[in-house]
Amino acid sequence: MSVMRNDIMFLRSALTMQNPFNSTEQVLDWIREQNRKILVNVRQISFKEMVPMWQFDAEGNLRHASGKFFSIEGIRVKTNYGGVPQWEQPIINQPEIGYLGIITKEIEGVLYFLLQAKVEPGNVNNVQLSPTLQATKSNYSQVHKGNKPLYLEYFQNAKPEQILLDQLQSEQGARFLRKRNRNIIIRVEDEIPVYDNFIWVTLGQIKALASMDNIVNMDTRTVISGIPLHTIADMELPKRRAWGYDLLHDDCPYHTTIEILSWMTSLKCKYELNVMPIPLKEVEHWGTTDMAIEHEDGRFFKIIAAQVEINNREVKTWCQPLVAPAQLGLTAFVIKKINGTYHFLVQGKVESGNFDTLEMAPTVQCITDNYTGKNNQPFVEYVLNAKEEQIRVDTLQSEEGGRFYQEQNRNLIIEADDSFPVDNLPENYIWVSFQQLMLFLQFNNYLNIQSRSLISLIRMI
Amino acid sequence: MSVMRNDIMFLRSALTMQNPFNSTEQVLDWIREQNRKILVNVRQISFKEMVPMWQFDAEGNLRHASGKFFSIEGIRVKTNYGGVPQWEQPIINQPEIGYLGIITKEIEGVLYFLLQAKVEPGNVNNVQLSPTLQATKSNYSQVHKGNKPLYLEYFQNAKPEQILLDQLQSEQGARFLRKRNRNIIIRVEDEIPVYDNFIWVTLGQIKALASMDNIVNMDTRTVISGIPLHTIADMELPKRRAWGYDLLHDDCPYHTTIEILSWMTSLKCKYELNVMPIPLKEVEHWGTTDMAIEHEDGRFFKIIAAQVEINNREVKTWCQPLVAPAQLGLTAFVIKKINGTYHFLVQGKVESGNFDTLEMAPTVQCITDNYTGKNNQPFVEYVLNAKEEQIRVDTLQSEEGGRFYQEQNRNLIIEADDSFPVDNLPENYIWVSFQQLMLFLQFNNYLNIQSRSLISLIRMI
């Protein structure tokens, strides 16, 4: 029972594409069908039109009338990391820890995941596959007087032996102030109701669907990224497996775990990050107009007000702020086989909203601004000029559509060629094996959300 | 090399009491000699006498003229943990990460630790054994115009393969605002100078010396607590070993590590801790007189001003604030063999200055106020009434003498008898095996300083 047993179930599900209930084609059809049944209208409005539900307080911060949900506030950042020693910016402050929960069930030896076709106002394509439960405390303490979220009670009442994974993980450190979610996977034994827009899929199917653009939402990706996958002796394997399965062989990590922890400790001691809340109206180089909170040069992102109308069987309307990016983002891991074991080139990256100064980020994490010659972050050229045969993953993935308006990042995993250096990297970079990443993923605030998204995309089959 | 090799060296040193250079008796004599050579005079003065080096700012916070070192500030705490939903208190704010570093060296197959006989103004007995290096950033960036700390360069220049341990660990959450230190152990190969008040000892000797009252200081205890100790196959063992060696056998943990992490995650989601900086002069129920910052009922602790004079070969004098406790404290682990494996009863405890809401604390952690009938914390009666044969550790240990004035805690480890329950414990308590504690100790902010102090006292021989 317990650890070993769960490991087997997870790996077997990651290696299973055959789903007698819903083939992957059927899942895609079903998503299209969900999209057909729904009409989503998101219209940018002025901030005035959001009053009284959302309004600016005396400090210029944008808040919900209940004091719950989230607010847009200002921060002043001082750091000795990177080229800019001080700046001010708006940030999303959402001090609540939300649930991102997936229910699983073993059926005939295979673990199935209950996902939801969920519409979010910021989605580029209306419906994406989200966790069974995606709820902030304000949601489930019913501030908005809506119904209790479906399946909430399964998570609230789960017994310890039902819990397969339960971690606090970070959101985007450049956008959220120290926000974390509870990433949780539970297993049920008994029959449970499957509501209209829910579906059972294997982990292998989720990863296959995530190899397409904008099908699997960020919340699902972060939850499944934490699933520990290891090789398991004597387990019968499908003949054809994907490249990702090779990552599981991990006989010879280039650095010991103690070395990696020491690398992180030394960076945390070296870099100071001082974040001070300030009134949004005092944030330098940013201004608030009727229609947007935006940077004077139109850079980074802006905050807009949105009127959302969703027509399903019933009509729901509400208004809320959304964060709209200025550009497409790029996140990329360079991986390389060293001494027979695959390694990920991890970056220690300081971001203003980080809970603990820095987290492990992908080799490259930037917005397009950063790679159009305006600065020279390491390895950007390398990943953008990778040859076809080096590309292991290349998809567009959405940020969470409940907060971000049509924000997409290009997610790349690039296998380094022989010319790529093993040693003499910049100080902030280190090679970490896949099993070492799996270990760090079990603990809070080691891998940032961009690196977790990339890890979730790795297919075993 | 690397992991396995270090493990062997640590365990062998923990099992070694024979030190051809310094027997344990000689170490004690040497400490006495160090004490004879030194004259320490700590005199309580008024805050006015500390001006201009230390003075109150407009908000009533007590600061050093340089803006460095530390300050005494006010906080307002709101939490749904425990019986008091809101309070205000003074707290030490020291945002710098300091070094607590020990140099080790292998001599004829045994690892020796270089400790320092260090005098601190708050020590009850002048000199205690401290790490090789104990320095804040203000120390080593030479704000006080003193000399560069001895051995600093060994830590600053250590190569990755020399680093045996390197962690950020917390200080007292009730006294310090999110303070952490870099706990680091390095190994040198070459000869190094051994200055006058430094000495080479084995890990076994350190633990033996820590079984006496107030010999091994808090900083040494926290560093050595992080040393991973495991059983090692085929290793030749001394015939007589201490009770602690039995803890290393860890075949059957009562909870999986996932269950323990989930327990911590759920407590972090349940308990809210909101800490707001406020001016010290506004802190309710606390007042500042000429001589002390203290609670109106004389409870908890007070901040005093001290004039320190240390006569060694030269005379050093300075003044600084110190924290003086109102009472002796009590920290205790209850341990119990369950399914043949020893387990520690760990408490998830919220403290106002915690970095991440709660950490793993000992079964009992309180000041005497708390156990003289004024409240009923669980298990206090049990550990205080333990029979002689249940007591595995019972010593007085000092808090760090650079900040705390003669503050001692009674450190107890009690082996539960058969009557002690395994199940149906209060929600905040869980059984954790020794190897699981070793795992959590490798990561930041899982075990609090009181539980680390207790773990450091466990003798293998």
Side-chain angles (χ1 to χ4, degrees):
Chain A
M1 201 56 192
S2 78
V3 182
M4 189 55 186
R5 178 94 184 107
N6 294 344
D7 276 17
I8 294 175
M9 286 200 320
F10 277 135
L11 181 59
R12 192 172 285 150
S13 186
L15 288 167
T16 300
M17 284 297 291
Q18 304 291 36
N19 176 345
F21 315 105
N22 308 291
S23 73
T24 308
E25 259 319 310
Q26 283 169 329
V27 176
L28 284 166
D29 284 343
W30 177 82
I31 294 172
R32 279 182 213 112
E33 177 63 24
Q34 297 286 330
N35 261 325
R36 259 196 299 275
K37 287 197 300 194
I38 214 159
L39 217 131
V40 181
N41 188 3
V42 178
R43 190 169 58 88
Q44 190 181 353
I45 57 175
S46 71
F47 289 119
K48 280 194 201 102
E49 294 173 79
M50 291 210 296
V51 176
M53 287 314 282
W54 290 88
Q55 50 190 316
F56 292 102
D57 66 14
E59 302 199 307
N61 298 327
L62 186 57
R63 296 186 187 283
H64 189 258
S66 66
K68 302 278 178 182
F69 296 108
F70 61 95
S71 55
I72 311 290
E73 307 177 8
I75 53 171
R76 177 178 301 135
V77 184
K78 293 184 190 182
T79 181
N80 56 351
Y81 170 92
V84 185
Q86 179 170 334
W87 71 89
E88 300 178 352
Q89 66 164 90
I91 201 156
I92 309 170
N93 189 0
Q94 185 172 356
E96 305 176 343
I97 298 175
Y99 267 115
L100 303 179
I102 298 180
I103 291 178
T104 65
K105 188 170 166 58
E106 191 183 331
I107 307 171
E108 293 179 12
V110 174
L111 197 67
Y112 290 85
F113 293 65
L114 187 61
L115 295 190
Q116 178 185 181
K118 190 170 199 309
V119 59
E120 294 279 13
N123 284 353
V124 291
N125 51 352
N126 296 346
V127 158
Q128 294 190 12
L129 288 175
S130 80
T132 321
L133 175 69
Q134 187 176 314
T136 63
K137 221 174 213 180
S138 296
N139 287 146
Y140 63 80
S141 55
Q142 294 175 273
V143 172
H144 69 332
K145 318 262 195 276
N147 297 317
K148 200 176 57 133
L150 293 171
Y151 301 107
L152 174 64
E153 67 276 16
Y154 288 90
F155 294 92
Q156 291 180 323
N157 303 330
K159 297 196 188 77
E161 61 271 21
Q162 284 184 268
I163 295 173
L164 306 183
L165 177 152
D166 190 2
Q167 308 157 343
L168 289 181
Q169 296 289 6
S170 57
E171 295 217 9
Q172 291 79 351
R175 306 289 180 78
F176 284 100
L177 188 61
R178 303 194 191 101
K179 168 108 175 73
R180 298 191 294 183
N181 285 310
R182 183 176 187 175
N183 287 226
I184 181 167
I185 300 179
I186 62 170
R187 178 165 54 162
V188 298
E189 300 284 344
D190 302 325
E191 284 299 310
I192 64 166
V194 176
Y195 296 105
D196 208 26
N197 50 334
F198 288 80
I199 198 165
W200 290 111
V201 287
T202 69
L203 184 53
Q205 285 182 300
I206 299 173
K207 287 169 171 288
L209 291 160
S211 71
M212 292 169 246
D213 294 350
N214 301 314
I215 299 285
V216 176
N217 86 347
M218 178 56 108
D219 295 333
T220 306
R221 298 200 307 279
T222 165
V223 176
I224 68 164
S225 74
I227 293 175
L229 294 170
H230 317 284
T231 54
I232 288 166
D234 302 328
M235 187 163 145
E236 203 179 314
L237 296 171
K239 284 215 180 62
R240 292 187 53 177
R241 296 180 297 274
W243 67 279
Y245 188 80
D246 290 342
L247 299 180
L248 302 185
H249 298 286
D250 195 0
D251 302 324
C252 196
Y254 192 62
H255 298 287
T256 64
T257 302
I258 288 171
E259 279 172 16
I260 297 167
L261 284 168
S262 176
W263 167 84
M264 248 186 128
T265 298
S266 68
L267 293 179
K268 284 184 183 179
C269 292
K270 175 174 178 179
Y271 294 123
E272 285 162 19
L273 174 66
N274 187 319
V275 176
M276 208 168 60
I278 59 172
L280 183 59
K281 67 180 177 191
E282 288 176 16
V283 170
E284 248 188 350
H285 303 302
W286 290 74
T288 300
T289 68
D290 279 356
M291 297 300 283
I293 302 164
E294 57 194 334
H295 190 262
E296 59 190 16
D297 299 331
R299 295 176 66 195
F300 308 116
F301 59 87
K302 59 185 179 180
I303 314 284
I304 57 173
Q307 172 77 37
V308 184
E309 185 180 306
I310 293 181
N311 287 283
N312 202 340
R313 273 160 307 178
E314 48 185 336
V315 180
K316 272 192 238 170
T317 64
W318 71 90
C319 58
Q320 70 164 89
L322 285 171
V323 179
Q327 291 116 338
L328 188 74
L330 173 68
T331 64
F333 262 127
V334 172
I335 63 169
K336 188 175 173 71
K337 210 172 218 178
I338 308 173
N339 302 336
T341 295
Y342 271 110
H343 288 78
F344 289 67
L345 188 55
V346 164
Q347 176 188 179
K349 191 171 174 71
V350 175
E351 295 188 274
S352 49
N354 278 356
F355 191 84
D356 190 5
T357 312
L358 64 84
E359 296 187 3
M360 294 183 177
T363 321
V364 170
Q365 177 187 324
C366 57
I367 53 176
T368 42
D369 234 20
N370 300 138
Y371 61 84
T372 50
K374 291 199 184 167
N375 79 18
N376 48 357
Q377 289 200 25
F379 310 116
V380 174
E381 291 299 316
Y382 187 83
V383 302
L384 289 177
N385 296 321
K387 297 195 194 79
E388 188 62 31
E389 67 267 23
Q390 292 179 263
I391 298 172
R392 297 285 163 270
V393 164
D394 185 2
T395 55
L396 290 178
Q397 300 293 346
S398 299
E399 298 303 306
E400 213 271 297
R403 295 288 171 274
F404 299 105
Y405 184 68
Q406 305 200 342
E407 172 151 19
Q408 295 175 79
N409 283 298
R410 188 174 172 196
N411 279 230
L412 281 173
I413 299 183
I414 302 296
E415 182 158 354
D417 57 11
D418 292 341
S419 76
F420 197 92
V422 173
D423 296 311
N424 300 316
L425 299 165
E427 181 193 36
N428 280 19
Y429 295 80
I430 197 167
W431 293 108
V432 182
S433 79
F434 190 67
Q435 289 307 314
Q436 287 173 328
L437 289 177
M438 293 281 110
L439 174 66
F440 293 125
L441 273 165
Q442 308 309 305
F443 297 88
N444 305 334
N445 296 102
Y446 281 85
L447 275 82
N448 78 355
I449 195 165
Q450 289 84 357
S451 56
R452 299 200 311 276
S453 172
L454 282 163
I455 287 168
S456 75
L457 305 178
I458 297 169
R459 297 180 66 174
M460 301 293 136
I461 188 158
Chain B
M1 201 57 192
S2 77
V3 182
M4 190 54 186
R5 178 93 183 107
N6 294 345
D7 276 17
I8 294 174
M9 286 200 319
F10 278 135
L11 181 58
R12 192 172 286 150
S13 186
L15 288 167
T16 300
M17 285 296 292
Q18 304 291 37
N19 176 345
F21 315 106
N22 308 291
S23 73
T24 307
E25 258 319 307
Q26 284 170 329
V27 176
L28 285 166
D29 283 343
W30 176 83
I31 293 173
R32 279 182 213 112
E33 177 63 24
Q34 295 286 330
N35 261 325
R36 261 195 298 275
K37 286 197 298 192
I38 214 158
L39 215 129
V40 181
N41 188 3
V42 178
R43 190 168 58 88
Q44 190 180 353
I45 57 176
S46 72
F47 288 120
K48 279 192 201 106
E49 294 173 78
M50 291 209 297
V51 177
M53 288 313 283
W54 290 89
Q55 50 191 318
F56 292 102
D57 67 12
E59 301 199 308
N61 299 327
L62 185 58
R63 297 187 187 283
H64 190 257
S66 67
K68 302 277 177 181
F69 295 107
F70 60 94
S71 55
I72 310 291
E73 306 177 8
I75 53 172
R76 177 178 301 135
V77 184
K78 293 184 190 182
T79 182
N80 57 350
Y81 170 91
V84 185
Q86 179 171 335
W87 71 89
E88 300 179 354
Q89 66 164 90
I91 201 157
I92 309 170
N93 189 1
Q94 185 172 356
E96 305 176 342
I97 297 175
Y99 267 114
L100 303 180
I102 298 179
I103 291 179
T104 65
K105 188 170 167 56
E106 190 184 333
I107 306 171
E108 294 180 11
V110 174
L111 197 68
Y112 290 85
F113 292 65
L114 188 60
L115 296 190
Q116 179 186 179
K118 191 169 198 309
V119 59
E120 295 278 13
N123 283 354
V124 290
N125 50 352
N126 296 345
V127 158
Q128 295 190 12
L129 287 175
S130 80
T132 321
L133 176 69
Q134 187 176 315
T136 64
K137 221 175 212 178
S138 297
N139 286 145
Y140 62 80
S141 56
Q142 295 175 274
V143 171
H144 68 334
K145 314 265 193 274
N147 297 316
K148 199 175 60 131
L150 293 172
Y151 300 106
L152 173 64
E153 67 276 16
Y154 288 89
F155 294 92
Q156 290 180 323
N157 303 330
K159 298 197 187 77
E161 61 271 22
Q162 284 183 268
I163 295 172
L164 306 183
L165 176 153
D166 190 1
Q167 308 157 343
L168 290 181
Q169 297 289 6
S170 56
E171 295 217 8
Q172 291 79 351
R175 305 290 180 78
F176 284 100
L177 188 60
R178 303 194 191 101
K179 169 105 177 74
R180 298 191 295 183
N181 285 310
R182 183 175 187 175
N183 288 226
I184 180 168
I185 300 178
I186 63 170
R187 177 166 54 162
V188 297
E189 300 285 343
D190 303 325
E191 284 299 310
I192 63 166
V194 175
Y195 296 105
D196 208 27
N197 50 334
F198 288 80
I199 198 164
W200 290 111
V201 287
T202 68
L203 184 53
Q205 286 182 299
I206 300 173
K207 287 169 171 287
L209 290 160
S211 72
M212 292 169 247
D213 293 350
N214 301 312
I215 299 286
V216 177
N217 86 347
M218 178 56 108
D219 294 334
T220 305
R221 299 200 307 279
T222 165
V223 176
I224 68 164
S225 74
I227 294 175
L229 294 171
H230 316 283
T231 54
I232 288 164
D234 303 328
M235 187 164 146
E236 203 178 315
L237 296 172
K239 283 213 180 64
R240 290 187 53 177
R241 295 181 297 274
W243 67 278
Y245 188 80
D246 290 343
L247 298 181
L248 302 184
H249 299 285
D250 195 0
D251 302 324
C252 195
Y254 192 61
H255 297 287
T256 65
T257 302
I258 288 171
E259 280 172 15
I260 297 167
L261 285 167
S262 176
W263 167 83
M264 247 185 129
T265 298
S266 67
L267 293 179
K268 284 185 182 177
C269 291
K270 175 174 178 180
Y271 294 123
E272 286 162 19
L273 175 66
N274 187 320
V275 177
M276 208 168 62
I278 59 171
L280 184 58
K281 67 180 178 191
E282 289 176 15
V283 169
E284 248 187 351
H285 303 303
W286 290 74
T288 300
T289 68
D290 280 355
M291 298 299 283
I293 302 163
E294 56 194 336
H295 189 262
E296 59 190 16
D297 300 331
R299 294 176 66 195
F300 310 116
F301 59 88
K302 60 185 177 180
I303 315 282
I304 58 173
Q307 172 77 38
V308 185
E309 186 180 305
I310 293 180
N311 287 281
N312 203 338
R313 273 160 307 177
E314 48 185 336
V315 181
K316 272 192 237 170
T317 63
W318 71 90
C319 58
Q320 70 163 90
L322 284 171
V323 180
Q327 293 116 337
L328 188 75
L330 173 68
T331 64
F333 263 127
V334 171
I335 63 170
K336 188 176 173 71
K337 210 172 219 178
I338 308 173
N339 302 335
T341 295
Y342 271 110
H343 287 78
F344 289 66
L345 187 55
V346 164
Q347 175 188 179
K349 190 172 174 71
V350 176
E351 295 188 274
S352 49
N354 277 357
F355 191 84
D356 190 4
T357 313
L358 63 84
E359 297 188 2
M360 294 183 178
T363 321
V364 171
Q365 177 187 324
C366 57
I367 51 176
T368 42
D369 235 19
N370 300 139
Y371 61 85
T372 49
K374 290 198 184 166
N375 80 19
N376 48 357
Q377 289 199 26
F379 310 116
V380 174
E381 290 300 316
Y382 186 83
V383 301
L384 289 177
N385 295 322
K387 297 195 194 79
E388 188 61 33
E389 67 267 22
Q390 292 179 263
I391 299 172
R392 297 287 163 268
V393 164
D394 185 2
T395 55
L396 289 178
Q397 300 293 346
S398 299
E399 298 305 305
E400 212 271 296
R403 294 289 171 273
F404 299 106
Y405 185 68
Q406 304 200 342
E407 173 152 20
Q408 296 175 78
N409 284 298
R410 187 174 173 197
N411 280 230
L412 281 173
I413 299 183
I414 301 296
E415 182 158 356
D417 56 12
D418 292 341
S419 75
F420 198 91
V422 173
D423 296 311
N424 300 317
L425 299 164
E427 181 191 37
N428 279 21
Y429 295 80
I430 196 167
W431 293 108
V432 182
S433 79
F434 190 66
Q435 289 306 315
Q436 287 172 328
L437 290 177
M438 293 281 110
L439 174 66
F440 293 124
L441 273 166
Q442 308 308 306
F443 297 88
N444 305 334
N445 295 102
Y446 280 85
L447 275 82
N448 78 355
I449 195 166
Q450 288 83 358
S451 56
R452 299 199 313 276
S453 171
L454 283 164
I455 287 168
S456 76
L457 305 179
I458 297 169
R459 298 179 66 174
M460 301 293 135
I461 189 159

